[in-house]
Amino acid sequence: MTTSTDYPFRSGQLRRAGVLMRLPRVVISAVAWLLAIEALPVPTAWGVLTVVVVGTVAGVVAEPVIIRLVWWARRPSVQLAVPGDPGVRIWVTGRRAAGVGQAGRRHLVVPAAWVGRTDLCALIASAWQRQLVSAGRFDVAYQWFTWPWQLLAASASGFAHGMTRLPLIGFAWRMRIVVAGIAVWQAVVSGQHAATVGIVVVIGLTYLLPWTDARHERLVSKALADLERSSATPAPPATRRPVVLPVRPTATHAGRRSCTSAPRRGPEPCGQWRSPARQVTCTGEGIRAHDPRTSGRKGSRS
């Protein structure tokens, strides 16, 4: 398992998919905040605006504070840590959750009921891998700012789940593009341009939001597969450097010079004295000491 925290598998395509998934929800939340602030009295409106702005900024510069508020998180009573990255902080929440949640890049949130599970370490490791490939820098601030969307989505999801059980409602939902087309035509004929824009935006979001979710999840699954494949690939063996043996000098006999010890500078004698007209090899063959007291015949004194 890789221990890098530089998020190398979060490609540009995955980042753009995350932005495309969050952008419509941010716009919906911004419109909801503006409508709520406009409807409230002036002092209350300023208080709500202050809470929204301060909480969003704190989600970037003070993540633990916002995590405690949004996830109702606290420090675990037992020591929990990610096996591959000790820098990740793990929190425990009393809220009902479907699994280990990620809060930004450096925090994981574990349901309190899961603390005693035997497979908790594997679940934390899996959530950490997903965090490596999908976590963004402003995720905590996004969670704070999109409170209106989260409430709206939870309410609409529960209502839609109950209403789709009725045959006619479920059929109308599946055929909503046809129903929306009829409604748009009637709004245009009657001159209600604002209603036309509202219908187009709402129906378009019902198609756009599920598509962005599915696309982002597909890219996250692909990045997780690449991460598993890279961690399962064994590291290449280290290249062994060739062993350089020391060069031993050529053995020489006593009193003889080696020809490979140093470059020769001109005719250099290997013995004591020799005649300049005579070349003597460095192997010592044919070396004779020259006696200056002899001349003429070989061996006779002058």
Side-chain angles (χ1 to χ4, degrees):
M1 181 181 297
T2 179
T3 59
S4 174
T5 57
D6 295 334
Y7 305 91
F9 293 93
R10 194 166 184 260
S11 61
Q13 186 181 17
L14 186 55
R15 291 189 181 93
R16 290 190 294 269
V19 171
L20 183 60
M21 180 191 67
R22 294 175 175 88
L23 184 59
R25 294 160 174 83
V26 171
V27 173
I28 294 172
S29 300
V31 173
W33 282 123
L34 291 176
L35 293 176
I37 291 173
E38 183 68 23
L40 294 173
V42 176
T44 308
W46 278 107
V48 172
L49 181 61
T50 302
V51 169
V52 173
V53 174
V54 172
T56 304
V57 174
V60 180
V61 300
E63 286 188 352
V65 177
I66 304 302
I67 290 171
R68 285 176 177 267
L69 295 176
V70 174
W71 281 270
W72 301 351
R74 64 181 187 275
R75 295 181 182 274
S77 57
V78 297
Q79 185 178 3
L80 298 175
V82 176
D85 191 352
V88 177
R89 183 178 300 180
I90 299 180
W91 301 85
V92 174
T93 179
R95 297 173 56 181
R96 297 179 58 184
V100 179
Q102 64 184 44
R105 289 185 171 184
R106 309 302 300 166
H107 305 273
L108 294 175
V109 183
V110 178
W114 289 25
V115 174
R117 295 182 56 162
T118 57
D119 59 343
L120 182 59
C121 291
L123 295 174
I124 290 176
S126 177
W128 173 67
Q129 284 186 332
R130 184 180 181 87
Q131 187 180 44
L132 284 179
V133 301
S134 64
R137 182 179 180 183
F138 305 106
D139 282 2
V140 177
Y142 164 80
Q143 292 289 340
W144 178 268
F145 186 80
T146 56
W147 269 7
W149 161 254
Q150 296 177 39
L151 295 175
L152 179 63
S155 303
S157 177
F159 178 76
H161 182 70
M163 293 299 293
T164 51
R165 295 182 179 180
L166 301 176
L168 294 179
I169 299 298
F171 176 75
W173 176 255
R174 289 190 295 271
M175 300 296 295
R176 63 188 181 277
I177 186 65
V178 178
V179 177
I182 297 173
V184 167
W185 178 76
Q186 293 177 348
V188 170
V189 171
S190 61
Q192 299 177 355
H193 302 291
T196 303
V197 174
I199 293 172
V200 171
V201 170
V202 171
I203 297 301
L205 288 176
T206 61
Y207 286 98
L208 177 63
L209 297 180
W211 178 79
T212 56
D213 284 341
R215 182 170 181 269
H216 183 261
E217 185 62 30
R218 183 174 65 254
L219 293 176
V220 168
S221 300
K222 182 178 180 299
L224 286 174
D226 294 340
L227 184 62
E228 290 287 346
R229 191 180 304 111
S230 65
S231 61
T233 303
T239 304
R240 297 184 60 183
R241 300 180 60 183
V243 179
V244 180
L245 297 178
V247 179
R248 297 181 178 180
T250 306
T252 58
H253 297 285
R256 300 181 183 179
R257 298 176 58 90
S258 173
C259 295
T260 60
S261 59
R264 297 182 60 182
R265 300 178 181 177
E268 185 175 350
C270 295
Q272 296 179 355
W273 274 84
R274 68 178 181 84
S275 175
R278 184 183 181 189
Q279 295 290 340
V280 183
T281 61
C282 293
T283 57
E285 296 177 358
I287 297 179
R288 293 185 180 180
H290 180 70
D291 190 354
R293 295 174 299 174
T294 61
S295 60
R297 289 184 303 108
K298 185 176 180 180
S300 61
R301 295 180 180 271
S302 56

